[in-house]
């Protein structure tokens, strides 16, 4: 009989997820994200277009920053899923920026699907918060 | 027609729904682009053994879908700023192979005075429904129309 090992999470209010520092943003990553998402706004990939828009250089897609906040929960997808992801963009992300993502449990409740944990999450570069919000993560019951 | 007036007139309008398919290759490329190594997005074998019985899509994947066009909608080519995003799922993540009926609604247009001038806020909602038209997810976006863009649009 094979036994699947499970790291089924059981968090408490106040618990923090380990902060992850991501590799510096590269142009290739933004080109890949543009292709994968279909967002070809040139301020994310072409220097001249960014300058024309009054920016000092190309900026990362806000939705890419948001997607990377989902990485916090990837290790737990066997046992649950991201039910809600909600964030506000508050700063621009440029080439070479290193983002750190982190989260903390604000609330934990049981309901019909299992346990619903609400996290506050953020993406920062240094001290600057570039995106912040909440994630609802459901850990399936039983 | 003044663009701002146009936006005000669109409040409550919806697009026709469009059928999207959650494609395996699209999910794999998306997961790679966002740097997410979860095997549930790309490794068929692991995903088959999971509770989902197959590959799933990352939470922000619905952003890649087509949602149809709201009649008369005008969207400037440049200068709009993405302010907020929310995606919420009814019962679980999207699965590769899912057929999703998607449409969008122009929720609101509001204005607020700021130090730099009048700011405009457009709220859009996007919906995904299953084959039986049951709701799968809802996505909300707030987009900011800066004073500079308002001037450029002649408002």
């Amino acid at each position: 009989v094979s036994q699947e090992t499970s790291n089924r999470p059981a968090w408490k209010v106040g618990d923090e997820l380990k902060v992850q520092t991501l590799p510096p943003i590269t142009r290739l990553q933004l080109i890949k994200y543009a292709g994968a998402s279909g967002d070809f706004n040139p301020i994310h990939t072409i220097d001249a277009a960014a300058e024309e828009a009054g920016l000092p250089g190309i900026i990362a897609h806000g939705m890419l920053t948001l997607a990377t906040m989902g990485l916090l929960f990837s290790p737990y997808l066997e046992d649950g899923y991201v039910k809600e992801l909600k964030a506000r963009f508050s700063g621009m992300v440029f080439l070479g920026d290193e983002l750190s993502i982190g989260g903390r449990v604000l609330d934990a409740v049981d309901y019909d699907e299992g346990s619903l944990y609400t996290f506050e999450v953020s993406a920062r570069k240094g001290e600057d918060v570039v995106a912040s919000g909440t994630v609802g993560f459901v850990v399936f019951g039983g | 027609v003044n663009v701002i007036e146009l936006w005000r007139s669109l409040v409550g309008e919806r697009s026709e729904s469009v059928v999207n398919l959650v494609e395996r290759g699209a999910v794999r490329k998306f997961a790679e682009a966002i740097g997410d190594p979860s095997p549930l997005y790309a490794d068929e074998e692991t995903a088959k053994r999971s509770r989902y019985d197959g590959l799933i899509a990352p939470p922000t994947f619905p952003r890649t879908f087509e949602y149809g066009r709201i009649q008369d909608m005008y969207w400037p080519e440049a200068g709009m700023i993405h302010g907020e995003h929310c995606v919420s799922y009814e019962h679980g993540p999207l699965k590769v192979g899912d057929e999703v009926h998607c449409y969008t609604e122009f929720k609101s247009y509001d204005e607020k005075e700021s130090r730099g001038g009048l700011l405009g806020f457009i709220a859009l909602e996007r919906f995904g429904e299953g084959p039986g038209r049951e709701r799968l997810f809802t996505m909300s976006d707030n987009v900011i129309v800066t004073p500079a863009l308002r001037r450029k649009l002649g408002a």
Side-chain angles (χ1 to χ4, degrees), chain A residues 17 19 43 53 78 82-83 105 110 117 120 125 127 129 131:
Chain A
L17 297 172
V19 173
I43 62 168
E78 296 267 0
V82 173
K83 189 169 183 67
V105 180
D110 289 333
Y117 295 93
E120 64 176 2
K125 53 174 189 183
E127 294 297 296
V129 176

Side-chain angles (χ1 to χ4, degrees), chain A residues 29 32-33 36-37 63-64 66-68 71 74 77-78 80-89 113 140, chain B residues 30 32-36 38 40-41 50-52 60 64 82-93:
Chain A
Q29 185 183 18
K32 278 186 184 171
Y33 184 78
S37 69
M63 286 301 294
L64 173 58
L66 196 60
T68 59
L71 296 183
S74 295
L77 292 175
E78 296 267 0
Y81 74 100
V82 173
K83 189 169 183 67
E84 186 175 275
L85 171 56
K86 185 178 187 173
R88 197 178 145 259
F89 301 108
E113 278 186 314
F140 298 115
Chain B
F30 188 83
E32 189 190 321
I34 65 175
D36 196 323
S38 174
L40 296 179
Y41 300 144
S50 76
R51 69 165 62 237
Y52 306 106
T60 60
T64 68
H82 198 187
E84 290 173 3
H85 179 82
C86 177
V87 59
S88 65
Y89 292 85
E90 297 293 324
H91 307 294

Side-chain angles (χ1 to χ4, degrees), chain B residues 31-109:
Chain B
E32 189 190 321
I34 65 175
D36 196 323
S38 174
L40 296 179
Y41 300 144
D43 179 356
E44 192 108 30
E45 287 296 301
T46 306
K48 263 281 174 208
R49 287 196 307 266
S50 76
R51 69 165 62 237
Y52 306 106
D53 192 30
L55 296 164
I56 59 171
T60 60
F61 189 75
R63 184 74 179 185
T64 68
F65 295 150
E66 296 288 342
Y67 290 85
R69 192 177 176 281
I70 295 169
Q71 205 178 349
D72 299 327
M73 179 61 182
Y74 172 75
W75 199 256
E77 261 180 56
M80 306 283 268
I81 293 174
H82 198 187
E84 290 173 3
H85 179 82
C86 177
V87 59
S88 65
Y89 292 85
E90 297 293 324
H91 307 294
L94 292 177
K95 295 176 184 175
V96 165
D98 278 355
E99 192 181 278
V100 189
H101 297 253
C102 299
Y103 61 95
T104 183
E105 180 177 335
F106 195 102
K107 204 75 187 159
S108 61
Y109 175 80

Side-chain angles (χ1 to χ4, degrees), chain A residues 13-132:
Chain A
V13 172
D15 281 357
E16 291 193 9
L17 297 172
K18 190 168 176 288
V19 173
Q20 295 182 34
T21 299
L22 306 171
I25 299 286
T26 65
R27 187 185 301 267
L28 187 58
Q29 185 183 18
L30 300 185
I31 291 170
K32 278 186 184 171
Y33 184 78
S37 69
D39 182 347
F40 290 105
N41 187 334
I43 62 168
H44 302 303
T45 46
I46 298 170
D47 297 321
E51 279 159 32
E52 210 173 295
L55 298 166
I58 60 171
I59 59 170
H61 305 73
M63 286 301 294
L64 173 58
T65 300
L66 196 60
T68 59
M69 299 197 324
L71 296 183
L72 291 166
F73 301 92
S74 295
Y76 310 110
L77 292 175
E78 296 267 0
D79 298 294
Y81 74 100
V82 173
K83 189 169 183 67
E84 186 175 275
L85 171 56
K86 185 178 187 173
R88 197 178 145 259
F89 301 108
S90 51
M92 288 188 277
V93 177
F94 298 97
L95 290 184
D97 282 352
E98 286 181 15
L99 297 184
S100 296
I101 51 174
R104 191 172 67 94
V105 180
L106 290 179
D107 192 29
V109 292
D110 289 333
Y111 80 124
D112 55 351
E113 278 186 314
S115 304
L116 173 63
Y117 295 93
T118 304
F119 289 79
E120 64 176 2
V121 292
S122 66
R124 299 163 189 267
K125 53 174 189 183
E127 294 297 296
D128 296 338
V129 176
V130 294
S132 60

